[in-house]
Amino acid sequence: QVQLVESGGGLVQPGGSLRLSCAASGTIFSINAMGWYRQAPGKERELVASITKSGTTAYADSVKGRFTCSRDNAKNTVYLQMNSLKPEDTAVYYCNADIYRDYYVKRNYWGQGTQVTVSS
C-alpha cells in the first residue's frame, strides 16, 4: 500500500505564511511528478503547483511569486511554502503524486487533504 499524508495546514491571518508537507510511505520504487491541488467551497479542484523528480516547478498564475514547491527525494516528501497568504487562498489542499510501486506500474495517488484558512 502507498499513502500520502499531508500536514501543516491551519488558520493564518492575511499576509501570513504556512508550510505544507506531504510524505509518501509504503512500497515505493520511484516517484515521478508531485504536486499540490486545492479545492475551495463550491469550486472545482485546481492545480496549485507541481514539481518533477529533477526539481522543475510550475505554478498557477494566482500563486506565482508567493508559493514555492520543493521536494526531498530521499524522504519521499514534497513541500509547499505559502507566503503572503490571501483570504482567497482558503481551501482544502491536496497532495498528489505519480508513484511506481515496481519497475512497470505507475499509479496516481492523492492525500487526504489539509485545511488552510486565511482570515483575520
Side-chain angles (χ1 to χ4, degrees), residues 97-108:
D98 286 332
I99 297 177
Y100 284 89
R101 295 186 62 193
D102 55 38
Y103 185 82
Y104 302 101
V105 179
K106 182 180 73 173
R107 282 189 55 191
N108 186 258

Side-chain angles (χ1 to χ4, degrees), residues 28-85:
I28 297 172
F29 176 76
S30 176
I31 303 178
N32 281 7
M34 304 183 82
W36 292 93
Y37 289 71
R38 68 185 180 187
Q39 187 166 19
K43 295 188 176 181
E44 294 188 354
R45 191 173 297 189
E46 62 173 354
L47 177 64
V48 175
S50 64
I51 184 167
T52 66
K53 189 173 185 178
S54 60
T56 301
T57 54
Y59 299 93
D61 287 343
S62 59
V63 307
K64 281 181 182 176
R66 300 188 298 122
F67 290 12
T68 301
C69 185
S70 62
R71 64 191 284 174
D72 185 334
N73 291 331
K75 295 182 179 180
N76 291 335
T77 300
V78 62
Y79 306 96
L80 187 67
Q81 177 67 44
M82 304 185 293
N83 299 328
S84 302
L85 282 161

